[in-house]
Amino acid sequence: MPTVILMDVSLSMTRPVSLDGIEEFQRKNLAVHGLNMLFEHMASNYRLEFTALMAFSSLWELLVPFTRDYNALQEALSSLEDYDKTCVESALNGVNNLVQQEWGSACPCQLVLVTDGSLGIGKGSLRHSLQTLKHRGDDKKFPLPFPFPTKLFIMCVANAEELQMTDAMDNLEELLRLSGGDGQIFTMDGPLCMKSVQGMFGRLIDYAYSPFHAVLHCGNLSSDVQVFPRPEPVVMDEEVEPMPRTVSADLEIVGFIEIADISSPPVISRHLVLPIAPNKDVDEVGTGATDELEEEPSASQMAGKSPNFCVLLHGSLKVEGMVALVQLGPEWYGMLYSQADSKKKSNLMMSLFEPGPEPLPWLGKISYLGPISEAAENPYGEDDSKSPFPLQPQVKRSYAQNVTVWIKASGLQTDVQKILRNARKLPDKTQTFYKELNRLRKAALAFGFWELLKGVADLLERECTMLPDSAHPDAAFQLSHAAQQLKLASTGDSQYAAFDHNIVPMHTDFSS
Amino acid sequence: MKMFSVAHKTVFVVDHCPYMAESSRQQVECDVLTKSRAQGVIPLAPVSKSLWTCAVECSMEYCRILYDIYPKDKLVNYIVSDSEFHILNSWRREDQSTHELMSALAAVGPPNPREDPECCSILHGLVAAVESLCKITELQHERRTALMDTAERVANRGRIICLTNAKSDTHVRMLEDCIQETILDQNKLAAGSDRLMAIQQCELVLVHIYPQGEDTLVSDRPKKEISPLLTSEVHSVRAGRHLATKLNILVQQHFDLTSTTITNIPMKEEQHANTSANYDVELLHHRDAHLEFFKSGDLHMAGTSTRENGLKETVTLKWCTPRTNTIELYYCTGAYRISPTDVNSRPSSCLTNFLLNGELLLNHYLSSTLPSIEAVLFLRCLMTFTKVILTQKTKIHLNAVVPLANLIVKETLTEEDVLTCQKTVYNLVDMERKNDPLPISTVGSRGKGPKRDEQYRIMWNELETLVKTHAGATDRHQRVLDCIIACRSKPPEEEERKKRGRKREEREDRTEKNGNKETDDKSWQESERLKGLLDKEDQESEVIKDSPDSPEPLNKKPRLTTEEVQPPERAKGPVSLLTMWTNRITAANSRKHQEFVGRASSVNNKFELYQHLKDENGMDVHENGKASR
């Protein structure tokens, strides 16, 4: 999930922070300190995240496009200049363009807005933007909500009390609501100082940038892994199940299945599965991760030498053309598979299905799946030529049955003509004739369309009189028999008009 | 949609009073006489449906679509009302099918016009509907049991769709009041019962049906709140196709459906076996399937069109014969169930049969302008047919294959038949060896047809598929299949590889053939490349060339951007997502402004300047020139 850092560089950010100490800081310095801390954390624990840095005042400027080079980001922070006033709306437009250009509208994105809570004055201020929200034309819509899924984190280099004295807090809350409500507003606790800004960014890191570590199990084998980007909690039905479902830290492989059988299933998110050195501290999250930087290479070198289950799994899936079904929690599944990103490189990836016992209807309930050896007979056949999937539904869909719909006149005409066509080819077409006749009869009875039954009976009688001399004598018998049966059905007499009753061909000496 | 939204329970209450036996006055000519037989025959008088028939068939259509798209947990309870109420089915899952309902409706029959109208009322049915909404469904029961202490989270909401012929607006108000009172009464009862649940929300949709050519006595009214428990809306509709359209719109609104039209589906004509025409098929599905288009702003490019009734829109996507590889995983963001709007039309049934017959039911329909494979709409259907149906895919019109094709569908084969089949196969092998052209019709497909070896490959594939379907029938059938497999020069996998290899060569992408592992990597590359290909229409022809079943689309949209200007980097290799995106934006922007007259009317990208001088006073120039000489 890429991140955009939106840094306020208006003049108000240069306000000095009154401190007892010797050195004098600006709010900007505090913000930069906090961001540096965030970048350092990402560089060591979240290094696959793409991050962009954008500065804004009344105008906005992209300082660093999406990158994984956290040095470049830190460098850009150190050379920030000061500009005029805060104008959040235009900056959000900038973010919108930037993200859509790089990632499109399907990729979820995190936005970290760093500001001091003085949100501009007059036209272009957030207050003004929000007040005029409802009086805008289509071409000047407020950029929120973004078309892509957004998490908005607002980092205020200010106390909550300070923000509540004006309408700043209300405006920021409104902003968060407009963005879709996913995210949080962070303020500083206590006096504005380095320590409290560290605290604030520490809370952001815990909230949004803690790496997701899990143990991947497969029978007796297991491996410590990082899942990146970390899987987010999912709410399926806020009414029945308001608590979000989270992916368990124990990922249990429940089985393996052919790619052709699982056939490109719909997924809610995709993640890289990266093995991590087993001796590394799994719980390290949040602040103070920087001092481990030096030990990093040796740990990964060690990891490279020791046998790892992930490597075995990845290789096997790739060679066999299979995926592993993995249980993520109670009634929640996903799949592990090998994904090639270039000719030579491929990765072990995990995709999450929608929570539920039966995420892919063509496989049925996942809990009903089992090893081939347990089946009475190999469902794939001895020579691997068949497959038990897709499962047959119990009730066929309308398009798989021969349903009768007469809403359009053409539907009715076609069905009548079909009967007449077969009537002219009696007795060769006796079976088809009665099949079509019974189909029409059933529908007419269900729709209460007795007039049609009489009409078709008349048509059949007319056909009977028009039979050529060369016609088989059986044809005349069958036609008048069918006509008579239709007429009886059209009286509604329960003996003849039963839905499940079928008109059967008349038994004649010719037909035997 | 929440699990227990109003859509969980739908009660149909259909009026079965004597006046519903009246004719809708929409006549259907069912005796279509062919010209050759027309002399001296008096055609049958047209038939007309009664109001009841109209109501029943439209409600059945509503249920058909609903059951197709939500095969479980969106339930219908069907009630018929005359001098009393008749409940035709229950909320139980096994009662939820159109077949069950049709059977029960047949038992009810049309209204009896001689019944005393004073005794009959829709009210009986409406009261029964409210009572029915209080009854707990299996899903509600399961969920309540599962949630235990938070069982109150399971809501009880529902919708009543009442198809009737009301007398006046006052009559409608009376019905609403009555429902409101019944809800209050029933809720009191439900409070003391385990098997009943109080109604939290009820939506009444009253559809007043009147015959064609009459004035309505009831006015339309949008949804309004009668009480916190009850909302009501009134639709006044003429019987016949208006009613059908109305219920089609309602089912879409009620179940969050929307429509997609697949255009340009090539299909062989029954009468003219040599030609292939293009058809459109409209499908309904959950509206989330369009979410990605809306978000990416692609909808205007994918092509929306307002339909004749002006009320609903459909997204048009162009058919692309599936060419996905079954052993690859594609990124898929959603799979949605579908239901054709016109289920028994020939194009619809051809399409659904084609999908149902496919071994892998992964069929994507792409519009030509979709920017990436992620936006591809995957529509899955989950059935296989037991009998092969000659769809356009198997209808290769080869005289050479005809004897075999005719024989193989027979239930039993004689020894002689097997011989004939084998002869046919050997004949084909011979033809391939001599590199004879296959008599495949190319009418209807513009441009070059598939290459000859490609034609043979397709032919063998089709033949094998056809015979395979029947191979299980008898040993003799199996022998025919064995013969074909033995005669095929290469196994299908190798063919596939060969095909891919050739394509790569065409694109000057040289890679050495290094066994299976490498092929997998390559095929992924291939799909990466596909993403790029989808971007540009001019490259679509390349995609299509691969799938000979599908002729090139006939009506390409006019493009203002000049096709000749191709980004040079395309020749070098895959384009980046960013480039694709930027190109797309540029293309979109270029459409927004009016194209320069010069560029629009240019020939080979060149435009002669100062043409007007020639047109307006060209003669003058000439003459002046002469004069000055």
Side-chain angles (χ1 to χ4, degrees), chain B residues 8 39 116 118 161 179 325 330 391 393 442 586:
Chain B
H8 178 52
Q39 310 99 327
D116 179 9
E118 292 302 313
I161 303 177
I179 292 177
N325 191 339
Y330 294 85
T391 60
K393 207 168 172 236
T442 44
T586 323

Side-chain angles (χ1 to χ4, degrees), chain A residues 30-31 33-35 37-38 40 155 188-189 193-206 286-288:
Chain A
L30 291 181
H33 179 71
L35 283 175
M37 183 181 136
L38 176 65
E40 274 163 18
M155 313 302 294
M188 289 169 67
D189 295 333
C193 62
M194 287 296 181
K195 205 174 160 211
S196 56
V197 84
Q198 278 178 10
M200 177 169 78
F201 275 87
R203 275 179 282 138
L204 170 70
I205 287 168
D206 285 347
T287 56

Side-chain angles (χ1 to χ4, degrees), chain A residues 147 237 239 263-264 266-267 340 343 358 362 392-393 398 405-406 408 413 447 450-451 462-463 466, chain B residues 3 29 31 37 48-49 53 64 68 72 110 153 157 295 330 332 338 342 344 380 382 384 521 524:
Chain A
D237 188 320
E239 188 175 272
S263 60
S264 302
V267 299
K343 253 178 236 168
E358 199 181 340
W362 52 95
Q392 306 283 322
S398 72
V405 179
W406 290 333
K408 286 188 180 162
Q413 284 158 356
F447 299 154
W450 293 354
E451 196 183 336
R462 188 188 70 197
E463 286 300 320
M466 286 165 62
Chain B
M3 192 180 283
E29 202 77 60
D31 189 14
R37 296 172 53 90
S48 82
K49 296 172 186 167
T53 300
R64 178 187 71 77
D68 269 357
K72 55 182 182 187
R153 282 189 195 142
R157 307 186 180 93
K295 279 200 293 190
Y330 294 85
C332 168
I338 54 133
D342 201 358
N344 53 1
R380 295 169 171 281
L382 297 167
T384 44
D521 285 345
W524 170 249

Side-chain angles (χ1 to χ4, degrees), chain B residues 119 174 183 194 227 247 257 300 326 376 407 515 536 567 612 621 627:
Chain B
C119 313
M174 187 274 284
I183 292 178
D194 260 1
S227 79
L247 279 175
L257 308 183
H300 61 102
T326 56
V376 168
L407 287 173
K536 271 269 177 187
H612 64 284
V621 172

